[in-house]
Amino acid sequence: MSRIKSSRKDKKRGESFFSGAVKLTAAGFIVRMMGFVNRIFMSNLIGAEGMGLYQLTFPVYSLIILTLTSGVSITVSGMTAKCKAKGDIRESRTAAKVGFGVLLIAGTACGVLMAVFAKPLAQYVLGDSRTALSMVLLSPCIPIVASASALKGYFYGMSEVTPTAISQIVEQVVRIGFIFALAGVIAGQNLENACAIITMSSAVGEMANLLVVFIAFKGAKRRTRRAAGGAPVRSLREKISLFNVSAKKVVKDSLPISAGRFIVSIMGTVESVLLPMRFLAGGMDYTASLSMLGRLSGMAMPLIMFPSVVTSALATTLVPAIASAVSVNNLKLARSRISRCIKMSLIMGFLFFGIFFTFGGPVGELLYPGQHVGELLCEMSVFCILLYLQQTMTGILNGLEKQTVSLVSTVIGSVVRLASIWFLVPQIGVNGYIIGMLFGTSLTCVINLAYIVKCMRMPFLFTEWIVLPCLPAAAMMLVG
């Protein structure tokens, strides 16, 4: 009888995990569709050079955001899932509050520093002084995005993804509405001011995002109090003790993740800044190199990553799902979830590899007329297989609390990409970047997959993971 009850509980947890992934996927699909409309509109408004300048604005911002949010969000999510599995919801809320406070303070400090040093960062790091104003306008986003990520981590751990899904949609609606409302003003500005106005939309959208998540968190607090009706009320000393324990746990567990993310982000920032420089070394003028960056990062890569809305949702929900399964020593359930997610990621990857490889030309020309994005889509189509799989395996390793493995593999892959940018791009242009990206990402995926299989003592399911996912790609090529 106990086995039957345990099986039913596992099944219920599995349905909750996948229903959460489905909700996040649906929200992500809506958000990305809206984002594509927005990007296409922006590209027609400011052109390839403007998109390149807009993309150049974000490396420093992304470096700060990813460093701040990744560790605390993942830690709060894992702690919440474990507390939920043990029936202590109030402790998980304390962890979320601690994370919120830490990130609000740290984010405010980083935002002030970015605004103060915007000019030297723009001139000496990004290599274009026109990005300074955009960075100043982006700085208020840092404490907003950072603090909101702690509350989102709580909802992920509780398997309540609806507030996060709604907040993402609201953010995108506000952002797009802002740009459409000011389209006439943007069109009449030079590229520096036009990009700065577009950047303001991010700040307004993030404020709306935080507002939705904060309201949902307050509502969840009231529900928790009602559910705990007869539970004993903690004394002030107990609350302080619990707060201190949670604070130490959040800081201790999040620091290695944030440090790893900082290293990875630094390498990503170097990559974004180095790429236009090496295009210049290969004989391009500055305008052409910035336009190429815009086509790569602002047009082609978002199309390649669009289907990853599914694997992104899986990676997000995998952290608490695997953490809760491991915390109650249910390794069979953890292996099952890992295997199904790897299989789903590879099916998605091979399917969209076939689509972009076969139809990339007309798709690129349809969405970005005259920008030569279709050729890049065809050449970059193989990234679908690797990037979607890497995204899912990062979620698996975070759930297993093996972030060091993910860090090492990602750094190795980044080193290969940076080497290709330095040595190959001046010689063979954008194909040098694509070759380096291919080999670097492949190396990262092989290391992560080999470790997961060994760590969880799982068989390598060649038929399920490789043969069956190849069929959609073959079908798309045959149709093409």
Side-chain angles (χ1 to χ4, degrees):
M1 182 65 70
S2 62
R3 288 182 181 178
I4 294 173
K5 289 181 179 178
S6 176
S7 174
R8 287 176 179 172
K9 287 179 181 178
D10 293 343
K11 184 177 180 182
K12 186 176 180 181
R13 279 195 293 265
E15 289 171 352
S16 175
F17 159 58
F18 278 104
S19 65
V22 168
K23 288 180 180 179
L24 280 181
T25 299
F29 179 79
I30 294 170
V31 167
R32 294 202 183 190
M33 283 297 293
M34 295 169 69
F36 266 117
V37 172
N38 193 30
R39 278 186 176 272
I40 293 168
F41 182 74
M42 285 195 303
S43 68
N44 292 325
L45 201 62
I46 60 177
E49 184 185 358
M51 289 298 289
L53 187 64
Y54 177 71
Q55 288 299 131
L56 196 61
T57 301
F58 281 88
V60 174
Y61 170 77
S62 299
L63 169 66
I64 297 171
I65 287 295
L66 291 174
T67 302
L68 287 176
T69 62
S70 56
V72 174
S73 179
I74 291 171
T75 300
V76 170
S77 177
M79 288 176 64
T80 301
K82 291 176 182 178
C83 292
K84 181 186 176 185
K86 297 174 182 177
D88 191 349
I89 304 300
R90 288 188 291 179
E91 184 177 344
S92 66
R93 293 188 60 80
T94 302
K97 292 174 182 177
V98 169
F100 182 88
V102 168
L103 290 178
L104 184 62
I105 295 170
T108 301
C110 291
V112 170
L113 288 174
M114 191 171 91
V116 170
F117 294 102
K119 287 186 177 180
L121 284 171
Q123 187 171 355
Y124 300 112
V125 177
L126 301 181
D128 196 318
S129 59
R130 292 178 295 176
T131 60
L133 180 57
S134 294
M135 281 202 291
V136 171
L137 295 176
L138 267 179
S139 57
C141 293
I142 294 176
I144 297 171
V145 176
S147 56
S149 70
L151 303 185
K152 291 178 182 178
Y154 167 80
F155 285 118
Y156 291 141
M158 291 294 294
S159 299
E160 296 178 11
V161 300
T162 302
T164 300
I166 293 173
S167 71
Q168 291 174 354
I169 295 172
V170 169
E171 175 194 340
Q172 198 68 13
V173 168
V174 171
R175 182 179 296 187
I176 293 174
F178 185 91
I179 293 175
F180 272 66
L182 295 179
V185 177
I186 295 170
Q189 301 290 323
N190 58 35
L191 284 183
E192 179 181 3
N193 292 336
C195 289
I197 295 172
I198 290 175
T199 301
M200 287 176 62
S201 68
S202 299
V204 178
E206 295 295 354
M207 291 177 189
N209 188 318
L210 175 60
L211 181 62
V212 172
V213 175
F214 187 78
I215 291 172
F217 187 75
K218 284 293 185 181
K221 180 180 180 180
R222 287 193 293 270
R223 290 194 300 272
T224 301
R225 284 179 175 175
R226 285 198 299 267
V233 178
R234 290 190 174 108
S235 65
L236 180 60
R237 179 177 294 179
E238 289 174 327
K239 289 180 179 179
I240 294 174
S241 175
L242 178 59
F243 184 88
N244 290 335
V245 170
S246 296
K248 290 177 182 178
K249 176 73 173 172
V250 168
V251 172
K252 179 183 176 182
D253 290 358
S254 63
L255 276 179
I257 305 174
S258 294
R261 178 57 68 180
F262 177 76
I263 295 171
V264 172
S265 299
I266 279 285
M267 301 190 81
T269 301
V270 172
E271 184 177 310
S272 297
V273 174
L274 190 62
L275 193 55
M277 293 171 56
R278 300 312 288 168
F279 282 139
L280 283 171
M284 284 187 183
D285 59 38
Y286 185 73
T287 300
S289 66
L290 202 58
S291 297
M292 180 57 75
L293 178 64
R295 284 194 286 272
L296 269 173
S297 302
M299 299 179 188
M301 190 56 78
L303 280 172
I304 292 291
M305 293 303 295
F306 178 80
S308 71
V309 61
V310 176
T311 51
S312 176
L314 287 175
T316 300
T317 53
L318 266 172
V319 176
I322 293 176
S324 62
V326 172
S327 69
V328 294
N329 205 30
N330 193 342
L331 298 182
K332 182 179 179 181
L333 178 60
R335 292 190 193 102
S336 172
R337 287 174 171 173
I338 290 171
S339 178
R340 289 158 71 185
C341 289
I342 289 175
K343 180 181 177 181
M344 191 178 299
S345 299
L346 286 168
I347 289 174
M348 291 284 301
F350 277 102
L351 172 63
F352 283 95
F353 159 68
I355 291 174
F356 287 125
F357 183 81
T358 308
F359 303 107
V363 168
E365 188 60 28
L366 175 67
L367 296 177
Y368 302 105
Q371 302 288 354
H372 307 290
V373 176
E375 300 168 11
L376 291 175
L377 276 178
C378 294
E379 294 174 356
M380 297 167 67
S381 57
V382 71
F383 294 164
C384 295
I385 302 170
L386 301 170
L387 293 175
Y388 303 169
L389 178 61
Q390 181 182 337
Q391 207 168 34
T392 299
M393 289 192 297
T394 299
I396 294 170
L397 290 170
N398 286 336
L400 294 173
E401 297 184 349
K402 302 295 182 183
Q403 292 87 0
T404 303
V405 177
S406 179
L407 169 63
V408 171
S409 64
T410 305
V411 167
I412 291 172
S414 296
V415 169
V416 172
R417 291 202 302 274
L418 290 175
S420 71
I421 290 173
W422 186 263
F423 293 107
L424 296 182
V425 167
Q427 305 300 323
I428 57 178
V430 70
N431 288 330
Y433 171 75
I434 293 173
I435 291 170
M437 183 89 170
L438 176 62
F439 280 103
T441 311
S442 298
L443 197 55
T444 299
C445 286
V446 168
I447 294 171
N448 287 346
L449 185 58
Y451 184 86
I452 289 169
V453 168
K454 181 181 178 182
C455 177
M456 295 302 293
R457 298 177 183 175
M458 298 171 60
F460 185 87
L461 305 176
F462 184 79
T463 302
E464 286 191 27
W465 292 355
I466 304 298
V467 177
L468 292 178
C470 280
L471 296 180
M476 289 308 304
M477 291 180 181
L478 198 61
V479 169

